[in-house]
Amino acid sequence: MADNGRMAVSSFMVPLGSGAPEFDLPSIDGKRVTLGDLKGAPATLVVFLSNHCPYVRRIEQGIGALAADYEGRVATVAICSNDVERYPDDGAAHLAEQAARAGFGFPYLVDGSQEVAHAYRAACTPDFFLYDADLRLAYRGEFDDARPSNQVPVTGASLRRAIDAVLAGQEVPGDQAPSLGCGIKWKPGNEPA
């Protein structure tokens, strides 16, 4: 699937067991949210999203439903790191429209400097990072098999299996399929090396 003439990008598949990088970012409602605000949950899900990407649009309501299903057990936060000067559809006002449309009941943060995306080694939207109670990476990969180019139902099956394993205190199998989506829209000079 093309993204403005470019091919879809896969997640970098950060090593399992990596610690969750700290962040302190503004949310679309004007509050600040830190990683510390999420500590204490049995699992933490950090999702890199955008409003304009067809890969995100295809599953956004499924993301909202998954977060609601695990509310109280999984601390969820979304982060948009795209360059909003070149992609104004990813500005805070449009992210708020997306959150309402998709039923997001979790904080949606704006990473204007793109430093948090670099720290997490996020590559695409959507890009999912699931951490255990100790904030060690247990899963990074796809939401499910739904893509803009297919009719596969949006279930979140891949991520749900991983969450269920973490909540049960079990190891998530290491054969995880990478997420696939639109590449993060880096500001000139911010592209990962």
Side-chain angles (χ1 to χ4, degrees):
M1 180 60 136
D3 173 34
N4 293 336
R6 295 183 217 167
M7 296 302 293
V9 172
S10 294
S11 52
F12 286 127
M13 302 305 280
V14 174
L16 295 173
S18 299
E22 295 287 338
F23 59 80
D24 180 348
L25 294 171
S27 69
I28 58 173
D29 64 5
K31 298 175 184 165
R32 293 199 74 84
V33 177
T34 68
L35 180 64
D37 295 332
L38 308 177
K39 286 182 180 171
T44 299
L45 178 62
V46 178
V47 186
F48 287 83
L49 295 177
S50 64
N51 176 49
H52 84 276
C53 176
Y55 288 85
V56 174
R57 289 264 177 135
R58 173 81 163 87
I59 64 170
E60 66 187 7
Q61 290 185 341
I63 295 168
L66 178 140
D69 289 347
Y70 289 98
E71 188 173 358
R73 298 178 290 157
V74 178
T76 301
V77 64
I79 300 173
C80 182
S81 299
N82 280 356
D83 178 356
V84 297
E85 287 186 27
R86 291 187 305 140
Y87 295 87
D89 284 349
D90 292 329
H94 293 293
L95 299 179
E97 292 168 3
Q98 177 188 26
R101 177 180 71 236
F104 294 169
F106 48 82
Y108 202 161
L109 312 180
V110 178
D111 177 24
S113 71
Q114 301 184 321
E115 291 174 8
V116 175
H118 277 287
Y120 277 79
R121 297 199 62 225
C124 55
T125 61
D127 213 349
F128 299 90
F129 298 85
L130 177 67
Y131 296 88
D132 64 17
D134 298 322
L135 293 174
R136 308 308 289 172
L137 187 63
Y139 178 83
R140 71 291 189 249
E142 68 179 5
F143 187 68
D144 59 23
D145 293 328
R147 304 286 184 266
S149 60
N150 68 31
Q151 297 300 315
V152 173
V154 176
T155 63
S158 299
L159 183 55
R160 286 177 186 273
R161 277 192 298 275
I163 291 171
D164 290 342
V166 169
L167 293 178
Q170 300 170 351
E171 188 171 320
V172 180
D175 59 338
Q176 301 170 6
S179 190
L180 185 68
C182 304
I184 288 181
K185 306 308 181 218
W186 301 102
K187 295 177 180 179
N190 269 3
E191 300 86 357

